[in-house]
Amino acid sequence: MGLMLLIFNTGCTDFLSEKDPSNLTPDSFYTIPDHAEAALASVYADMRFFGGDGGIFSSTWQLLEAPTGTSTTETAQNSDLNNLYGLIYDGRTQHVINWWNGLYKVIAQANMVLDKVPAITPMDENQKKKILGEARFLRAWAYFYAVRLWGNIPLITLPQTATSEDFMPAPAPQEQVYELILEDLLVAENAGLTWMDPSGRASLAAVKSQLAKVYLTMAGHPLNKGNQYYQLAANKAQEVIDYANGNPSSIGLFPTYNDLHDETNGNRLEHLFMIQYNVIVAGNPMNNMFPNFKPVTFQGPSGTGSTVPTIEFYNSYEPGDKRAVNQEGFFYTSYYTNGSGEPFDLGAPYIFKHFNKAALGTFGVPGNRANNLNVPLIRYADVLLMYAEAQNELGGPNALAHESLKKIRDRAGLPTPGLGEFTINTFREAVWRERWHELCYEQITWFDMLRLRKVYNELTNGFDDFVGHTNLSSNQALREMHLLMPYPLPEMQNNPNLLPQNPGYP
């Protein structure tokens, strides 16, 4: 196993790692507490598969954006990416393969930590408990993505070798996967983690927020566990909200949307959990959102435009919504030549949500070329909306659910009807709309579509059934098969027990 060592740069809070050239084996390696810390660092490092190579002009994360219909592409060179947009992907699609390999690598590394660290002696018990809790959180994080993407999946909880009895495991039922996810998260919740961790390691806020998301998902499709799990989701989200209300300098919403993509704000306030990036190891991987060959950065006329907003989604924001204001919200329609020169019109809206002005440039200030911006995974805004949705399903909105929705809309500069003006149905769709408009391009929307079996219709401002909804990005309709991703063909070839393929795929 490759040993991963931590790097801490002065003034940098990212939890980072790089490979060590040693030939240590697991049996000879896990002997002192520093080994446990380094092994855990390798699990965090493996999360960066998220930004891996998806072929020419493409990244692994685009698997969760292209099928949503909220984005389109300005480049045609990548057939796999085009197939994602066209809803004709299959088990050969590189992004599907990358997600499977990436998630199971995180799981394998976490399993190694969980198997080997308990035997390290001497070791401070609190340190050991915390490391094991973080490893549990990361394993749950990976399995939660995997079970939502593929449904029934192999459930592996111990380190594997070619001689392992279950080296070629068959898929386990989704219910069983969710049982492990909840078990892991509940252990992590009691592992002595701090509420927020500026280094980027898992925090109590991240664990509780992830629990809320898992419960909310289990309440909906495909498990349909209903009110008991809506209540669990509401309770867990409220724990984070109550802490935030009592500790506003620790957790809360950033005052402005530009704060969301200011790298100095990583792992603080609204950012409850992020994938850590630093150019020493790996720079921010969202460059495929840059316009195609337009000079918005120090690199001049570059960029691929392989994930750009559809004009219909951009136009679906309410009049006056700050999130649609040029360079103030989540989009930009003009920028500065080579990042810092004269203003020019982009001719269309592009995604500004992951644009790092310090690295790429802003008016009169050239970029420093070091794009250390982290990728957000859990924001406090998401927690507020999860609470509002879950609580509403229990019989209608209460005051806290209304206040949670209102906080999102207040920041956007939008009015919110009074609590008494909502019904359970109108409040439900109001929260869903905010999820689409607030959490867009953060690899969340696709999972909302799956658990709700609903898709936002940009033209009607309402919601269609998932099956039959036409993505305006491709004019192709979502089908029943799209509720699951296909198992990767290479994995099926290597593991004959990974059968049958998910319905509808070759």
Side-chain angles (χ1 to χ4, degrees), residues 234-252:
N235 291 348
K236 201 55 62 177
Q238 186 172 351
E239 290 180 30
V240 181
I241 293 169
D242 288 346
Y243 182 85
N245 288 340
N247 301 272
S249 63
S250 180
I251 298 177

Side-chain angles (χ1 to χ4, degrees), residues 71 94 141 254 262 390 417 427 458 475:
S71 69
Q94 190 62 50
W141 175 86
F254 287 119
D262 179 340
F427 191 81
E458 304 94 326
N475 289 320

Side-chain angles (χ1 to χ4, degrees), residues 163-464:
T163 60
S164 296
E165 184 177 345
D166 58 346
F167 185 62
M168 293 185 179
Q174 294 183 58
E175 288 258 11
Q176 191 175 340
V177 179
Y178 274 102
E179 286 174 8
L180 178 69
I181 291 168
L182 290 178
E183 177 189 315
D184 279 351
L185 290 175
L186 292 171
V187 169
E189 188 180 26
N190 291 287
L193 306 180
T194 58
W195 264 98
M196 292 290 282
D197 192 326
S199 75
R201 292 169 68 153
S203 66
L204 189 57
V207 175
K208 289 180 181 292
S209 301
Q210 188 78 331
L211 270 167
K213 190 180 289 281
V214 172
Y215 287 136
L216 186 62
T217 300
M218 295 176 75
H221 297 280
L223 298 186
N224 294 305
K225 288 187 174 290
N227 281 358
Q228 178 186 356
Y229 280 75
Y230 283 123
Q231 186 68 68
L232 288 168
N235 291 348
K236 201 55 62 177
Q238 186 172 351
E239 290 180 30
V240 181
I241 293 169
D242 288 346
Y243 182 85
N245 288 340
N247 301 272
S249 63
S250 180
I251 298 177
L253 296 178
F254 287 119
T256 74
Y257 296 112
N258 273 301
D259 292 326
L260 287 171
H261 49 111
D262 179 340
E263 68 177 58
T264 64
N265 288 331
N267 312 315
R268 62 176 296 268
L269 202 62
E270 187 166 349
H271 288 309
L272 305 186
F273 192 57
M274 314 181 82
I275 302 179
Q276 308 299 299
Y277 282 91
N278 186 295
V279 293
I280 294 174
V281 176
N284 177 275
M286 311 307 282
N287 293 357
N288 284 310
M289 292 179 176
F290 294 158
N292 194 17
F293 291 105
K294 294 179 181 178
V296 297
T297 78
F298 62 84
Q299 294 177 313
S302 62
T304 69
S306 61
T307 289
V308 303
T310 63
I311 192 65
E312 294 88 356
F313 182 72
Y314 173 74
N315 288 337
S316 73
Y317 283 78
E318 295 175 48
D321 193 326
K322 292 179 181 178
R323 292 170 296 196
V325 174
N326 180 35
Q327 299 181 37
E328 182 178 339
F330 298 159
F331 305 90
Y332 58 146
T333 55
S334 70
Y335 209 61
Y336 310 106
T337 304
N338 297 332
S340 57
E342 291 302 308
F344 72 101
D345 187 80
L346 291 172
Y350 293 92
I351 299 165
F352 199 55
K353 202 173 201 178
H354 302 276
F355 193 96
N356 184 350
K357 290 188 287 187
L360 305 171
T362 189
F363 185 63
V365 183
N368 62 27
R369 306 189 175 211
N371 196 347
N372 299 322
L373 191 64
N374 295 335
V375 170
L377 294 178
I378 304 174
R379 286 201 285 127
Y380 183 59
D382 193 0
V383 176
L384 292 171
L385 293 171
M386 285 193 289
Y387 176 80
E389 179 184 341
Q391 180 59 47
N392 181 64
E393 294 301 326
L394 297 169
N398 62 10
L400 182 57
H402 180 264
E403 178 188 349
S404 298
L405 175 67
K406 187 174 184 299
K407 284 182 177 179
I408 301 297
R409 292 180 61 81
D410 282 352
R411 182 167 64 174
L414 298 172
T416 304
L419 177 59
E421 299 177 63
F422 283 108
T423 66
I424 187 171
N425 291 328
T426 59
F427 191 81
R428 176 188 294 125
E429 292 205 358
V431 172
W432 288 354
R433 270 189 290 273
E434 291 307 318
R435 290 193 65 82
W436 254 260
H437 288 133
E438 176 68 28
L439 304 175
C440 60
Y441 311 121
E442 293 183 46
Q443 299 75 59
I444 291 172
T445 301
W446 181 248
F447 292 126
D448 280 347
M449 292 164 61
L450 297 180
R451 68 180 178 84
L452 297 172
R453 297 294 195 262
K454 295 288 185 180
V455 187
Y456 178 64
N457 186 317
E458 304 94 326
L459 301 182
T460 67
N461 201 37
F463 289 85
D464 300 337

Side-chain angles (χ1 to χ4, degrees), residues 88-116:
I88 55 172
Y89 47 85
D90 59 28
R92 298 166 295 182
T93 300
Q94 190 62 50
H95 306 74
V96 174
I97 296 169
N98 288 358
W99 269 94
W100 182 281
N101 291 343
L103 290 171
Y104 272 100
K105 188 176 181 185
V106 171
I107 290 165
Q109 294 282 53
N111 284 341
M112 189 70 76
V113 173
L114 293 168
D115 185 64
K116 299 296 184 182

